């Protein structure tokens, strides 16, 4: 029986988790005989590594310039980063391998590609490793390793970055970004129904990531000056922000404003909206694109998301608003001529979306897992664990 080991991250946002969920569901559908397990790569390491993942969200939001610098330095100091991570995770990773005996290892986090291969090489284990890039653009070279079996690229930009990093074309698989099957309805109409919006109101969904952001409150205040705008706000796990918004926006709640915390029914809220306003997070962005929901992005985290607003503009998937005060003007322009520009964005998304990406990636994983390889767990692994 073939086995796949996914290395992901539970605490650095929800993106990596969404990807493994999408692939796990496809695995159950396409090859129920394959066993798989998902582990948090950071939990394999020391307290320093574990705490870095748990503090990522707040650190990246509170100190964006510093996080951006750290991210940029990851490429020139790639070997040092891989050595440090490999040193931290070595024993725990080998124990996981000894217990599960994977036929292939799939990493959806850039810290666990070169480092994992280093551990395997030292233990003389020939388990193929697949690098699944979880970003759209501004891709760090940590995703690139010539020793990897394959590198899965979700975009043209990611593929070009891997080629510049020295990867061979044969290593690269350009599949599109894997999204969960709930967001991959192949029967979606090419154009949204805007009839209700033209007469009465426009429904806007504000999203701020799993940790929430006070910027959403600023946006809400700006938009509520227009009586035709109805807002749904998803504030994530940030309970303090939820209370602040409920207090500040109390005159509108139940009339023109609905506020949620962290919810699982994201697709339903997206489908109810005519327009989404969000940070340029790749997972949520691609979920919106797959649903053909026009977006306005208001920014991005430094580092891996830095180029995503321009990605949106380049592929005409939505608009980018640098100055929040310009949002009402941008929305008014979208609604002119019976929503002509809004309809065009939805059409662009329809032509861009790749709802079968997760299935195609899963087929590659199944094929790789079932290929015979020279995995030697016994003596080499026993000696490695005792070193």
């Amino acid at each position: 029986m073939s086995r796949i080991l996914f290395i992901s991250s539970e605490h650095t946002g929800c993106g990596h988790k969404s990807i493994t969920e999408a692939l796990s569901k496809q695995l159950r559908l396409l090859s129920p005989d394959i066993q798989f397990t998902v582990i948090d790569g950071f939990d394999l390491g020391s307290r320093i590594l574990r705490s870095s993942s748990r503090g990522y969200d707040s650190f990246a939001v509170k100190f964006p310039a510093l996080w951006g610098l750290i991210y940029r330095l990851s490429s020139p100091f790639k070997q040092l980063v891989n050595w440090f991570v490999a040193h931290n995770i070595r024993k725990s990773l080998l124990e996981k391998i000894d217990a599960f005996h994977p036929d292939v290892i799939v990493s959806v986090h850039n810290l666990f590609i070169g480092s994992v291969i280093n551990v395997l090489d030292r233990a003389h284990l020939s388990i193929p490793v697949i690098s699944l890039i979880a970003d759209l653009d501004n891709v760090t070279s940590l995703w690139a390793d010539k020793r990897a079996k394959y590198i899965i690229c979700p975009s043209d930009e990611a593929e070009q970055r891997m080629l510049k990093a020295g990867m061979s074309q044969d290593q690269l698989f350009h599949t599109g970004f894997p999204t969960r099957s709930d967001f991959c309805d192949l029967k979606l109409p090419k154009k949204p129904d805007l009839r209700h919006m033209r007469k009465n109101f426009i429904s806007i969904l504000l999203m701020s990531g799993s940790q929430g952001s006070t910027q959403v409150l600023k946006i809400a205040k700006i938009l509520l000056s227009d009586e035709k705008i109805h807002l749904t706000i998803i504030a994530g796990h940030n309970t303090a922000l939820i209370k602040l918004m409920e207090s500040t926006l109390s005159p509108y709640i139940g009339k023109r404003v609905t506020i949620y915390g962290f919810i699982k029914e994201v697709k339903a809220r997206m489908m109810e909206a005519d327009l989404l306003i969000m940070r340029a997070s790749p997972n949520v962005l691609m979920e919106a694109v797959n649903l053909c929901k026009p977006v306005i992005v208001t920014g991005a985290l430094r580092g891996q998301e830095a180029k995503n607003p321009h990605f949106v503009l380049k592929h005409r998937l939505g608009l980018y608003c640098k100055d929040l005060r310009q949002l009402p003007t941008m929305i008014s322009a979208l609604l002119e001529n019976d929503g002509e520009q809004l309809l065009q964005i939805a059409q662009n998304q329809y032509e861009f979306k790749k709802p079968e990406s997760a299935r195609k990636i899963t087929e590659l994983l199944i094929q790789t897992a079932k290929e015979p390889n020279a995995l030697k767990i016994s003596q080499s692994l026993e000696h490695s664990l005792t070193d």
Side-chain angles (χ1 to χ4, degrees):
M1 182 178 293
S2 300
R3 295 177 173 87
I4 299 174
L5 172 63
F6 290 99
I7 302 182
S8 183
S9 172
E10 291 289 317
H11 304 287
T12 54
C14 295
H16 304 96
K17 188 175 181 180
S18 293
I19 291 173
T20 54
E21 285 178 359
L23 300 180
S24 296
K25 188 166 185 177
Q26 289 297 319
L27 273 171
R28 296 187 187 99
L29 291 172
L30 298 176
S31 188
D33 59 313
I34 285 187
Q35 291 186 3
F36 65 90
T37 188
V38 182
I39 62 174
D40 187 331
F42 290 92
D43 283 348
L44 296 173
S46 64
R47 182 180 299 178
I48 294 175
L49 203 61
R50 295 195 303 271
S51 62
S52 69
S53 74
R54 286 162 174 79
Y56 162 79
D57 280 338
S58 59
F59 182 83
V61 171
K62 292 179 181 178
F63 308 101
L66 182 57
W67 167 244
L69 175 63
I70 292 172
Y71 186 83
R72 289 194 301 273
L73 290 175
S74 66
S75 288
F77 290 95
K78 173 181 172 179
Q79 290 185 340
L80 178 61
V81 173
N82 284 335
W83 173 85
F84 173 79
V85 176
H87 178 75
N88 266 263
I89 68 173
R90 178 177 172 272
K91 183 176 180 181
S92 296
L93 176 60
L94 291 176
E95 288 173 349
K96 292 286 185 182
I97 291 172
D98 188 34
F100 187 64
H101 290 230
D103 295 288
V104 61
I105 296 174
V106 183
S107 177
V108 298
H109 195 287
N110 56 56
L111 286 183
F112 305 107
I113 295 134
S115 61
V116 167
I117 296 174
N118 286 350
V119 172
L120 296 177
D121 284 352
R122 181 177 172 184
H124 305 293
L125 297 174
S126 58
I127 307 173
V129 174
I130 293 178
S131 169
L132 201 170
I133 299 175
D135 302 316
L136 293 169
D137 202 345
N138 207 40
V139 176
T140 173
S141 65
L142 286 172
W143 291 108
D145 197 300
K146 292 182 178 180
R147 300 169 296 174
K149 177 73 171 179
Y150 300 118
I151 299 174
I152 298 174
C153 303
S155 65
D156 292 335
E157 290 80 359
E159 183 177 26
Q160 290 304 311
R161 180 68 183 89
M162 292 297 97
L163 290 172
K164 289 181 180 178
M167 302 302 101
S168 68
Q169 188 67 63
D170 291 342
Q171 266 186 298
L172 306 182
F173 277 77
H174 185 180
T175 59
F177 199 95
T179 55
R180 291 170 290 182
S181 59
D182 290 349
F183 297 88
C184 298
D185 188 349
L186 298 176
K187 298 179 181 180
L188 280 175
K190 293 184 179 181
K191 295 183 179 180
D193 184 357
L194 304 181
R195 286 173 295 179
H196 71 282
M197 183 186 68
R198 295 173 190 170
K199 296 179 180 179
N200 301 315
F201 64 89
I202 177 172
S203 175
I204 298 177
L205 175 63
L206 301 183
M207 306 179 71
S208 59
S210 61
Q211 297 303 315
S213 170
T214 55
Q215 180 171 262
V216 171
L217 182 55
K218 296 178 183 177
I219 295 173
K221 289 179 179 179
I222 292 170
L223 295 183
L224 286 170
S225 60
D226 186 340
E227 294 184 358
K228 289 186 178 181
I229 291 178
H230 287 217
L231 298 179
T232 299
I233 303 172
I234 301 179
H237 294 293
N238 196 330
T239 55
L241 176 60
I242 295 171
K243 291 179 180 179
L244 177 60
M245 286 196 296
E246 288 174 342
S247 173
T248 306
L249 304 178
S250 58
Y252 304 98
I253 293 177
K255 301 174 183 177
R256 293 171 53 205
V257 174
T258 304
I259 300 174
Y260 295 96
F262 184 84
I263 61 171
K264 293 183 178 180
E265 301 80 19
V266 176
K267 180 190 175 182
R269 304 290 80 81
M270 284 186 174
M271 293 301 295
E272 293 166 355
D274 303 305
L275 174 68
L276 312 183
I277 299 179
M278 63 176 71
R279 193 188 87 213
S281 168
N283 292 79
V284 180
L285 177 61
M286 288 299 102
E287 288 170 352
V289 168
N290 273 339
L291 295 178
C292 298
K293 288 295 177 178
V295 302
I296 297 178
V297 296
T298 56
L301 291 178
R302 300 283 184 91
Q304 69 272 27
E305 292 182 8
K307 293 184 179 180
N308 288 356
H310 297 287
F311 183 93
V312 170
L313 294 178
K314 175 182 177 181
H315 296 283
R316 300 179 299 160
L317 304 175
L319 302 180
Y320 174 30
C321 182
K322 296 181 181 179
D323 183 350
L324 297 182
R325 293 171 296 181
Q326 296 300 315
L327 275 172
T329 302
M330 297 180 75
I331 293 171
S332 295
L334 285 172
L335 303 182
E336 289 178 356
N337 300 320
D338 292 332
E340 180 181 3
Q341 190 177 356
L342 203 64
L343 289 167
Q344 184 59 58
I345 291 173
Q347 179 66 31
N348 296 340
Q349 292 175 327
Y350 185 87
E351 295 171 358
F352 180 88
K353 68 189 182 83
K354 296 178 176 64
E356 297 184 353
S357 296
R359 180 183 61 79
K360 290 181 178 179
I361 292 171
T362 304
E363 288 173 347
L364 178 64
L365 303 187
I366 292 170
Q367 173 188 328
T368 307
K370 291 186 175 182
E371 289 176 356
N373 63 71
L375 176 60
K376 304 292 183 182
I377 289 288
S378 57
Q379 291 185 346
S380 61
L381 184 54
E382 182 180 351
H383 291 159
S384 297
L385 288 169
T386 55
D387 282 348

